[in-house]
Amino acid sequence: MKRSRLVWLSATLVLAAAAVTTGGLVMRNSEEKHGPATAAGRQLQLPLHTNGNRIVDAGGRTVTFTGVNWFGLETNTFAPHGLWSRSLDDMLDQMAAQGFNSVRLPFSNELFDAASKPNGVDYKLNPDLQGLTGPQIMDKVVEGITKRGMMVILDRHRPTSQGQSNLWYTDKVSEERWISDWKMLAKHYRDNPLVVGADLHNEPHGEATWGTGGDKTDWRAAAERAGNAILAENPDWLIVVEGIESYDGDGYWWGGNLQGAAKDPVRLKDQSKLVYSAHDYSPKVWSQRWFTDPAFPANMPALWDKQFGHLVKNNVAPVLMGEFGGRSVAEKDAQGNKDLEGIWQRHLISYMKENGFSYTYWSWNPNSGDTGGVLKDDWKTIDQAKMDLLKSYQSTPTAKKP
């Protein structure tokens, strides 16, 4: 889908993360139905794994990611966006206060190059980020997220800051570099238990195939190679594998087509670490044919079942809706006409809630051109209509901030 869009961990961080995992992370009992958690006092036991279509903790309790994307590290600022307006702590305090239990954190491989210099940060507001490299800022962000009890899913969003790529490798970033950087991160964050997973590559599309064999375009095979290499370094992580764009001539959103996983599932050395992921967007991003179907929105559940929901409904594996979002959540626009984007968002939330999907909303940032964000353009004010919708399907907040 087209959108206009490492210092080592200290003992303090490790102790903070350990305190969170034993003292405040409340999740659902495995017997509860899908939906917001109500089992007060139940504590998360890390690490996470999967059981059928559920993500569960070490005690077998269902864990549902209801999180948000905060982008910027993957761009040429080499830092999360918005730090030109606010401090990191202020931003993360507000994020945690909204009840998100997880953050999908995009990055690019270019972030780890010595020539990649962070910019777009107000160092008067963020004096502790002054002089840090991009990976060191990433460490600070991860530390801040997990100190507040939120989980982190790392997302290899782009090979370089210039833009997304169809495949997991390019002429500038090889498959070997892609895997070696993932291995480095898996080892680097191994002692922080709230860094829980790796989203291997954002939105495979174009010539990306599924289950076709060979090394050049078969995304399923590449995901197996990378996933197993990561698990060799950090066996606790979840391996998040997105779909592709087109399968057997049937096109969908970039990264959203998981039809091939029914016949050719991703095979990991530890299959209990596999989570599939899809992305889904509104007609404001691209006017797909299903939005003009006279049956819309009643046609959407069957479409979602076909593309990715079959994995959940057939108890194959969990699915994380890694990206979805839009500017409107209204049923009608200002002229009183049906608001297709708002209707789509509302129905997708209902579908995920009914079927127990995890999600990370796109995005926290207001500067995503097609979708806007949870924050309004001042980088401070919450879009309350969006937040009210998200809170209709939100897992128990992970922990109180320190």
Side-chain angles (χ1 to χ4, degrees), residues 34-335:
H34 297 305
T38 57
R42 297 196 179 276
Q43 297 169 355
L44 185 74
Q45 298 177 43
L46 294 166
L48 305 179
H49 64 283
T50 68
N51 182 358
N53 62 10
R54 298 182 300 130
I55 300 168
V56 297
D57 73 357
R61 299 185 182 95
T62 299
V63 176
T64 304
F65 298 121
T66 54
V68 68
N69 287 269
W70 186 18
F71 67 81
L73 279 163
E74 83 284 13
T75 72
N76 59 11
T77 64
F78 304 110
H81 286 177
L83 297 181
W84 52 71
S85 295
R86 301 174 65 182
S87 72
L88 176 60
D89 283 338
D90 190 36
M91 193 82 82
L92 292 177
D93 282 346
Q94 187 181 32
M95 196 179 294
Q98 296 308 307
F100 294 114
N101 69 9
S102 46
V103 178
R104 180 173 178 260
L105 193 63
F107 68 90
S108 69
N109 299 89
E110 188 181 356
L111 176 75
F112 308 115
D113 295 343
S116 301
K117 305 298 184 185
N119 58 90
V121 177
D122 186 329
Y123 292 113
K124 290 182 180 178
L125 297 173
N126 294 280
D128 56 335
L129 302 184
Q130 179 82 50
L132 299 187
T133 65
Q136 288 170 336
I137 288 178
M138 186 179 187
D139 280 347
K140 288 285 190 181
V141 174
V142 168
E143 177 182 358
I145 292 169
T146 57
K147 272 177 58 179
R148 289 161 177 80
M150 295 182 286
M151 296 172 281
V152 173
I153 299 168
L154 297 176
D155 157 43
R156 192 284 198 133
H157 207 75
R158 301 173 172 178
T160 70
S161 63
Q162 273 56 60
Q164 294 176 215
S165 61
N166 296 19
L167 300 173
W168 56 97
Y169 64 92
T170 68
D171 58 347
K172 293 182 173 61
V173 177
S174 66
E175 175 173 313
E176 290 72 22
R177 167 75 187 274
W178 172 59
I179 292 177
S180 67
D181 281 351
W182 267 127
K183 290 170 64 177
M184 175 270 294
L185 289 169
K187 184 177 180 181
H188 182 70
Y189 288 117
R190 189 167 50 195
D191 292 330
N192 186 339
L194 287 179
V195 183
V196 296
D199 192 337
L200 297 179
H201 173 60
N202 185 64
E203 298 183 344
H205 61 280
E207 64 268 38
T209 61
W210 191 286
T212 54
D215 295 340
K216 297 299 184 183
T217 65
D218 187 351
W219 167 233
R220 175 246 201 173
E224 291 172 351
R225 293 192 293 272
N228 286 325
I230 290 167
L231 290 174
E233 296 290 343
N234 187 341
D236 290 343
W237 269 13
L238 299 174
I239 303 300
V240 180
V241 181
E242 298 185 27
I244 56 176
E245 178 186 6
S246 181
Y247 182 79
D248 278 352
D250 187 13
Y252 200 62
W253 296 109
W254 291 2
N257 191 327
L258 282 162
Q259 294 182 51
K263 177 185 174 186
D264 296 304
V266 170
R267 301 156 300 182
L268 298 178
K269 291 179 180 177
D270 183 352
Q271 204 68 7
S272 76
K273 294 299 180 177
L274 174 63
V275 176
Y276 289 105
S277 180
H279 293 182
D280 210 273
Y281 279 96
S282 83
K284 295 285 182 67
V285 172
W286 194 261
S287 185
Q288 305 276 19
R289 63 186 182 280
W290 42 88
F291 296 121
T292 57
D293 187 320
F296 177 84
N299 61 321
M300 296 306 294
L303 177 65
W304 291 327
D305 286 351
K306 178 182 180 182
Q307 298 296 344
F308 45 77
H310 58 95
L311 296 167
V312 172
K313 291 193 170 183
N314 294 330
N315 201 35
V316 174
V319 173
L320 164 69
M321 185 57 64
E323 291 184 21
F324 73 104
R327 294 185 179 277
S328 174
V329 296
E331 296 279 0
K332 294 186 177 181
D333 62 21
Q335 289 73 43

